[in-house]
Every structure is written in C-alpha cells, then in structure tokens.
Amino acid sequence: MEAKFLSSNRSNISSVPLPRHLPKLHHLPVLAVLTRRPENITGVREKLSSKPVDNIAELTRKTVYNDNWFDQLAINHLSRSVQAATGFRNSKTGYESLVQAAMDASQKFNLIQQRELVLQALDSAFPRSILHLIKTVLPQSKFAREFFAAFTTFFFIWLIGPCEVRESELNGGKEKNVVHIKKCRFLEETNCAGMCTNLCKVPSQTFIKHSLGMPVNMVPNFDDMSCEMIFGQEPPMSTEDPAFNQPCYKLCNTSTHPFFPCMHTGRDL
C-alpha cells in the first residue's frame, strides 16, 4: 500500500530549543510514503556460516535486504528529509543514502542539534494534518496501542528490519503492544550505540508522543542488536535509562566524533 500526501503544513516540535546557527530547513514539497509489508520475508536474509559463531561473528554477520521499489521510495524520501534538515547532501541511494545522512548529522552537529534535526526531518516527512487526524481518532487506549504496534510491523520493515508483535502486561492486563525487532537495520548499518540513542531512540520517542499522543519506550539490546518498542509506556529519564549507560561497540563508526565523542566507547566485543 502506498499513500502520497503533499506536505503543506509543518509545525515546530517543542522538545529541545533549536540553536540559532543550525542550517535553514529548505521548505520543499515532500511526500510521505508508507510501504506495504512484504508478502513473505524472503526478501530479507542473512549470510550464514557453516561454522559455529561467537558473539563477534554474530554481530558482524551482515543482513542482506532486497528492497522492492516501494521500500526504495520510502527510504529515499526519509533520506532526503534528513538531508534537507542538516543541509548536507549526498549522492548515494537507498539505505546507504539514509545512513550517510545520519552519519553527517552525527559528525557535524552536537548532541542537542542531532536530536532536533531528526525531529525536523520527521516533521517534514509526515504531513501534520494526517498525524493530527490519527491523534484525534486514536486516543490513548488498548486498541490504539495494539494498532500502532501492528501498523509498525506492516509498514516499517524497510526502516527497522523484520519485526513482530509481542504481548506484555500493562495496567493490570495483557496487550499486544510491543514490537520486537529481531536485528535493527539502522543499528546494524551504523554500528554505533550513540547514533542509535541520539538519532533514533530519543527523537522517535519524542516525535511519536507529540505527533500521535502515544508514549513509546524504545529499548535497544546492544548485545544482539535487537530492540523493543513498547507502546503506552513512558520512557525513563536519560539519566536512568540503561541504554545511555552502555559502552559502544569496539568498531564504532563515530568514536572520533569532533563535537560529541560517542558516549558508548570502550565496549569490548
């Protein structure tokens, strides 16, 4: 399924004040794209070895994605939104372009700016009027939480990788409000815990809460690169969130960050 909307109304998300010297966002017409879930998961596979693998080999084993044209359309749209927000363009295509755009943000901006830029990109990628409508017709409820979880597994495999809905206990009852991501595509491609928390986890939690009225706690597992999105659960403060206390991977791609060296350096894999 593909839905295209002209983005004519953008709002400023009140999360972190935007520094004055950030590059001006170019207000160009953009399309918000949703993609349908692949009919089967054969388009996603991993390079396997006939020999037993240890933790290092398991993490470095590359997942191969065969993105269809719907996936490519969504990926390129989000990549262009991030590039417009940062002001740095790249000539790559597909997921490589999105990763490069994220790398530019992590290497050229400090922590606060990184999160704000991603919020700008998300705000431009999805029409505000559509988000407001969803927020209105789907107020906080068990149905809404389960709907968002199911929706994520159907329409965002291109961004986060294969995932499934899982059950959890909330408010004294059981709900299917958790999205379990087997191996996060973004974390695998960037290979950086700092980029995971600063360019994905924090801004995504903020955007979903402010735009859709739905709190969500994203819980990455840096041991196996899996992640859980728990809809309906408020994320802990960053000072109490275990995700910010994790050392980074030994081969972290941004350990020499000029403004904000990765908080997670030193992880011995």
Side-chain angles (χ1 to χ4, degrees):
M1 178 177 66
E2 176 186 7
K4 299 182 178 179
F5 306 95
L6 286 177
S7 176
S8 58
N9 186 16
R10 299 174 183 155
S11 64
N12 295 320
I13 299 179
S14 56
S15 54
V16 184
L18 181 63
R20 294 181 179 178
H21 60 277
L22 279 176
K24 184 178 180 181
L25 179 63
H26 303 288
H27 296 281
L28 300 176
V30 295
L31 298 175
V33 181
L34 299 178
T35 67
R36 60 186 178 186
R37 184 178 185 174
E39 296 179 358
N40 54 60
I41 213 66
T42 56
V44 180
R45 60 186 177 87
E46 293 185 352
K47 295 179 179 178
L48 302 177
S49 172
S50 58
K51 298 180 180 180
V53 295
D54 55 17
N55 192 44
I56 299 178
E58 182 67 23
L59 289 178
T60 56
R61 183 173 55 179
K62 187 70 172 180
T63 305
V64 178
Y65 290 86
N66 297 319
D67 296 312
N68 58 41
W69 72 276
F70 287 106
D71 300 332
Q72 289 281 352
L73 187 64
I75 293 169
N76 289 330
H77 171 63
L78 182 57
S79 176
R80 286 193 297 269
S81 296
V82 175
Q83 292 176 55
T86 62
F88 291 94
R89 301 287 182 175
N90 69 72
S91 59
K92 298 181 179 180
T93 60
Y95 211 86
E96 288 186 1
S97 176
L98 178 59
V99 171
Q100 183 60 55
M103 290 289 292
D104 288 337
S106 70
Q107 294 173 355
K108 302 179 187 300
F109 299 94
N110 63 38
L111 172 62
I112 295 177
Q113 292 173 324
Q114 290 175 35
R115 298 175 180 179
E116 182 63 29
L117 286 169
V118 174
L119 287 173
Q120 286 188 46
L122 293 174
D123 192 41
S124 67
F126 301 94
R128 195 63 186 174
S129 58
I130 299 300
L131 297 176
H132 180 72
L133 176 62
I134 295 175
K135 183 178 181 179
T136 302
V137 300
L138 288 175
Q140 176 77 259
S141 65
K142 176 181 179 180
F143 174 80
R145 292 186 288 271
E146 294 187 337
F147 174 83
F148 283 123
F151 187 88
T152 301
T153 63
F154 273 93
F155 294 108
F156 288 95
I157 290 179
W158 57 268
L159 178 61
I160 59 180
C163 50
E164 63 182 6
V165 173
R166 290 189 176 181
E167 193 176 66
S168 74
E169 291 188 5
L170 185 67
N171 301 326
K174 292 186 177 181
E175 298 183 8
K176 294 181 178 179
N177 64 319
V178 178
V179 174
H180 176 76
I181 305 168
K182 180 181 178 181
K183 190 175 186 181
C184 178
R185 185 176 188 178
F186 184 74
L187 179 57
E188 180 181 12
E189 292 292 337
T190 59
N191 197 37
C192 177
M195 290 181 67
C196 165
T197 54
N198 300 321
L199 295 176
C200 179
K201 173 180 164 63
V202 173
S204 294
Q205 290 175 166
T206 302
F207 180 78
I208 294 173
K209 175 65 180 294
H210 288 185
S211 300
L212 299 173
M214 176 62 65
V216 60
N217 183 22
M218 299 179 69
V219 186
N221 183 330
F222 295 114
D223 290 327
D224 59 7
M225 292 189 174
S226 66
C227 182
E228 287 195 338
M229 299 178 66
I230 309 174
F231 288 96
Q233 183 180 94
E234 292 284 353
M237 297 289 292
S238 59
T239 54
E240 302 175 356
D241 195 327
F244 292 93
N245 297 323
Q246 294 289 333
C248 199
Y249 300 109
K250 185 176 182 179
L251 299 178
C252 174
N253 293 332
T254 59
S255 59
T256 57
H257 192 296
F259 291 105
F260 185 70
C262 185
M263 292 172 55
H264 309 281
T265 55
R267 189 180 183 87
D268 187 15
L269 292 180

